[in-house]
Amino acid sequence: MTSILTVPQPIVFFGGTFDPVHFGHVAVAHAALTELEPKSLIVLPAGNPYQRGRAPFASAQHRVEMLRLGLGLGLDPVNAINAVDANGNIRIDERELKREGATYTFDTLTEIRAEFGNAHPFFWLIGSDAFAKLDTWHRWRDLFKLTNFAVIMRAGTDSSPEWGVEFSAEIRSRETTSDQPVPNAGVWISLKTLPPPISSTAVRAALANHESIRAMVPLSVCDYIDKHHLYRFA
Ligand code: ATP
């Protein structure tokens, strides 16, 4: 697979609730590593995603532990060979879990850009379902001053949603392709990988119905959910 033309290497961010992490997320992380060849992939579990109107079902600590297991972080090199993070390029950043109140991506990226300076392009990884609603995000236009976006297809979601005129014009003007040099911020590209059509909602629903989640979630995460009796709805 050809990788994107970026010197220096980008830093890639993957935000989500991960309630719990599933093979769709694993495929997204893998796609970012192979297609963007980043210096690092920083996973940002959300604290209190303001658009959901409810807290995540599992605690922050459980969600982080499941992410570690699901992405194969911190394994010794022999066991890490088949893990997504075989080269140790992924890390979890818990800053959004520690923040009081609503979690805004704008605040997170402002903080991180100040820490990294302008030496590297940023990519915010995002599914096409979430990207189609970017105009509902806090200060969404200003996000393009801080980062680029890498959009990955979410199977089963509308590939040509009805965007408003203004949003559509803004998004279309910012689209670029992976053979173009990438600025530090301001554009978006499509990744080529198509992750499996899995959602955390479907995983939780299967657990509520006492169905197997083995096809949806890495085995280590299945075992963790079992052991800690997570998502056992009455
Ligand atoms: P829920 O079902 O609880 O809403 P989710 O499965 O959408 O959860 P999130 O943690 O909210 O998972 O997703 C984080 C990010 O990963 C979002 O940008 C989302 O679009 C993307 N994503 C999640 N699952 C997939 C998938 N199967 N294919 C492509 N993108 C995905």
Side-chain angles (χ1 to χ4, degrees):
M1 193 170 288
T2 47
S3 66
I4 190 162
L5 201 73
T6 30
V7 179
Q9 285 173 291
I11 315 281
V12 177
F13 302 93
F14 186 18
T17 317
F18 307 109
D19 193 18
V21 63
H22 52 67
F23 281 131
H25 295 125
V26 174
V28 173
H30 188 258
L33 292 179
T34 52
E35 294 191 46
L36 300 172
E37 293 185 0
K39 181 174 159 59
S40 50
L41 169 57
I42 300 177
V43 183
L44 288 147
N48 187 8
Y50 75 105
Q51 290 197 329
R52 289 190 175 237
R54 60 159 179 82
F57 292 95
S59 69
Q61 194 202 332
H62 283 317
R63 289 185 291 125
V64 168
E65 200 45 46
M66 289 188 283
L67 262 175
R68 276 209 181 92
L69 291 166
L71 298 175
L73 308 194
L75 296 175
D76 64 56
V78 174
N79 290 327
I81 270 173
N82 294 318
V84 190
D85 192 29
N87 295 322
N89 287 338
I90 306 182
R91 75 177 165 85
I92 298 174
D93 182 318
E94 298 187 29
R95 75 180 68 216
E96 292 196 343
L97 298 171
K98 294 180 182 139
R99 198 176 299 146
E100 297 275 316
T103 311
Y104 295 123
T105 304
F106 175 81
D107 296 340
T108 303
L109 278 171
T110 303
E111 261 178 44
I112 296 179
R113 190 44 106 178
E115 287 162 25
F116 277 90
N118 284 322
H120 295 271
F122 281 4
F123 276 102
W124 188 270
L125 260 183
I126 187 167
S128 55
D129 58 323
F131 191 61
K133 294 186 216 133
L134 190 69
D135 60 342
T136 64
W137 290 28
H138 179 62
R139 300 187 65 171
W140 69 274
R141 275 196 191 78
D142 292 333
L143 291 175
F144 281 107
K145 295 181 187 150
L146 297 163
T147 190
N148 301 305
F149 286 87
V151 182
I152 189 149
M153 188 61 200
R154 183 138 198 191
T157 59
D158 189 355
S159 57
S160 48
E162 299 260 317
W163 288 340
V165 179
E166 206 191 331
F167 182 53
S168 177
E170 177 91 31
I171 291 301
R172 286 185 205 295
S173 72
R174 293 184 179 280
E175 182 171 12
T176 189
T177 49
S178 53
D179 52 358
Q180 301 293 313
V182 165
N184 279 357
V187 300
W188 67 275
I189 60 154
S190 296
L191 297 183
K192 297 182 177 71
T193 305
L194 180 61
I198 302 171
S199 68
S200 298
T201 304
V203 175
R204 295 191 303 266
L207 286 163
N209 291 328
H210 307 284
E211 291 162 12
S212 168
I213 55 164
R214 300 252 142 157
M216 296 193 259
V217 164
L219 194 54
S220 50
V221 178
C222 288
D223 291 345
Y224 187 92
I225 289 174
D226 252 12
K227 182 169 165 206
H228 294 274
H229 310 286
L230 302 182
Y231 311 108
R232 293 278 165 90
F233 307 109

